[in-house]
């Protein structure tokens, strides 16, 4: 009986060691390696400007000032640890007031009629971290950004076209413009224009 217990304990220990190596080392290394070769988002898509990382291509951030394209609002100030929607329903008076306040502010900043302000300019995304804006929201910002950076509106418009990404899988969602990548390109173009 003691011999059986010792043999079973040794067999159990060997199984534990084998599964520890397989599930604790081999499997995670295989998933990591596959992710590095197949999917380009495993590194967070760092975006650089002047040789330093300024953000992630997959996480939104706030931009203030006339020289930048502005992102859509975030209920959590783009805090990745607090990624969540506002949880306010469409009939919530606080949400309605916030949307109207944002609509008026965007209309004033972009010198457009409030009816021309696209929905993503005044509403948050489900995660509060969306790095994209609609083409319509980018379009109403072109003149302001071009003037502030000393660029022609057509040059900035072509950058918007260049950084417009298509629908996911070709049919999901709407085309969107990556704000951080676009802003870096605008700054590069303004620097080249100045030199």
């Amino acid at each position: 009986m003691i011999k059986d217990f010792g043999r079973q304990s040794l067999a159990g220990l060997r199984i534990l060691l084998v599964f520890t190596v397989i599930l604790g080392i081999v499997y995670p290394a295989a998933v990591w390696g596959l992710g590095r070769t197949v999917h380009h988002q495993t590194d967070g898509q760092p975006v650089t400007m002047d040789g330093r990382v300024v953000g992630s291509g997959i996480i939104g951030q706030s931009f203030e000032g006339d020289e930048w394209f502005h992102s859509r609002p975030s209920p959590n100030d783009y805090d990745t640890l607090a990624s969540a929607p506002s949880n306010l329903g469409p009939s919530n008076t606080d949400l309605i007031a916030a949307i109207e306040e944002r609509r008026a502010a965007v209309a004033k900043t972009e010198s457009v009629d409030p009816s021309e302000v696209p929905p993503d300019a005044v509403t948050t995304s489900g995660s509060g971290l969306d790095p994209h804006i609609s083409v319509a929201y980018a379009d109403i910002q072109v003149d302001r950004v071009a003037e502030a950076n000393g660029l022609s509106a057509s040059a900035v418009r072509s950058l918007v076209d260049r950084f417009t990404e298509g629908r996911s899988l070709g049919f999901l969602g709407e085309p969107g413009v990556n704000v951080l990548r676009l802003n870096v390109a605008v700054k590069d173009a303004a620097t080249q224009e100045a030199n």
Side-chain angles (χ1 to χ4, degrees):
M1 183 158 183
I2 292 178
K3 256 185 173 178
D4 287 341
F5 179 73
R7 227 177 33 238
Q8 288 175 353
S9 295
L10 192 56
L13 185 59
R14 277 187 275 191
I15 289 173
L16 174 67
L17 291 175
V18 167
F19 277 104
T20 298
V21 169
I22 292 171
L23 299 176
I25 299 171
V26 175
Y27 176 73
V31 170
W32 177 82
L34 183 65
R36 296 292 295 172
T37 58
V38 175
H39 207 281
H40 67 285
Q41 293 185 2
T42 58
D43 61 356
Q45 293 185 15
V47 176
T48 59
M49 185 166 76
D50 300 327
R52 65 184 180 86
V53 175
V54 293
S56 167
I58 55 175
I59 298 175
Q61 62 188 54
S62 180
F63 293 95
E64 295 179 12
D66 287 343
E67 72 273 17
W68 303 110
F69 279 89
H70 298 164
S71 301
R72 69 186 300 172
S74 173
N76 51 31
D77 295 324
Y78 303 97
D79 181 357
T80 56
L81 298 176
S83 173
S86 67
N87 288 331
L88 299 177
S91 61
N92 183 284
T93 56
D94 291 338
L95 178 63
I96 293 168
I99 288 173
E100 289 310 312
E101 183 179 312
R102 291 175 191 148
R103 185 181 320 281
V106 170
K108 182 179 179 185
T109 299
E110 307 306 340
S111 302
V112 297
D113 188 83
S115 64
E116 295 176 50
V117 175
D120 64 310
V122 296
T123 58
T124 64
S125 67
S127 67
L129 301 174
D130 192 350
H132 298 90
I133 57 174
S134 67
V135 176
Y137 189 24
D139 283 344
I140 68 169
Q141 298 183 65
V142 165
D143 292 335
R144 171 182 50 79
V145 171
E147 184 180 338
N149 286 288
L151 298 168
S152 69
S154 62
V156 174
R157 219 171 243 101
S158 70
L159 288 173
V160 169
D161 292 341
R162 186 170 134 208
F163 288 94
T164 297
E165 300 171 8
R167 298 169 186 255
S168 298
L169 302 175
F171 67 94
L172 294 175
E174 294 296 323
V177 182
N178 189 295
V179 180
L180 175 60
R181 293 185 194 282
L182 176 59
N183 280 334
V184 168
V186 167
K187 274 301 160 197
D188 286 346
T191 301
Q192 290 174 7
E193 184 75 21
N195 294 332

